Amino acid sequence: MSESTLCQTDRYSTPRERRQSAILDAAESLFLEQGYERTSLAEIVKRSGGSLATLYELFSNKQGLLRAIATRWCDEVMLRSLDDDATRELSSVEILKRYAHRQKELMESAHTLALMRMLISESLRDHEFAMQIYLDLHVPALEELIELFAEWAATGKAEIDRPDAAARLFFDIVVGDSMLNTLMGIEVEWLDSEQIDWRLQPFLSHFKIR
């Protein structure tokens, strides 16, 4: 982030928002450095400044911090990638391929994998937390793609009779098995761009995406 961007961010954010961001930055760094379970709230407060009372007020507990980190990551990185200036002049096929390649690159990053492992570990321990993460992360990404497929079907850019099922199938094609294998430590490399395109071809043909 550039210095001018930082200045603008400080100018338009409140002290509470800046404190919240500082705590999240500190917590995320510590979680990645030494693990979620081994990080204490006291360590997070020491690194971020402020007080334990403020942390509790903003996030309730350590689990609330992990959820907020994941939600911020989803908002900043995962979402809104289907509607930006770079896609304006692309065909539907090019948009979907670009999106698939970007999802693959994001999901195979060391940062994403570390975050996913923490979320899965905590989700196995707490079912309510698992449902919150599903609603915070997976549902918005799914809805973004469902909306796009519905728009394409309505405007004649594709023949997708069930946008919801098509969106789920798309994610299974692009990241499904690779993500599972990587999280389990049994796959070294993800699909490359050529393999992604090969997997997408039957999808594009079946739904007549143009």
Side-chain angles (χ1 to χ4, degrees), residues 49-67:
S51 67
L52 197 58
T54 301
L55 187 152
Y56 278 120
E57 178 191 352
L58 292 172
F59 303 103
S60 297
N61 50 33
K62 190 161 73 168
Q63 197 179 73
L65 273 169
L66 181 58
R67 181 185 175 191

Side-chain angles (χ1 to χ4, degrees), residues 19 23 44-51:
R19 171 54 47 207
I23 294 172
I44 295 170
V45 170
K46 182 178 179 180
R47 179 171 293 192
S48 66
S51 67

Side-chain angles (χ1 to χ4, degrees), residues 3 12 15 28 43 52 54 57 61 63 65 69 73 78 81-82 105 111 142 144 152 164 197 207 209:
E3 184 177 346
Y12 294 113
E28 184 170 8
E43 289 176 298
L52 197 58
T54 301
E57 178 191 352
N61 50 33
Q63 197 179 73
L65 273 169
I69 288 168
W73 171 81
M78 288 290 289
S81 54
L82 286 168
E105 291 168 1
H111 177 274
L142 198 60
E144 182 185 40
W152 285 356
D164 56 338
D197 289 345
F207 292 113
I209 298 174

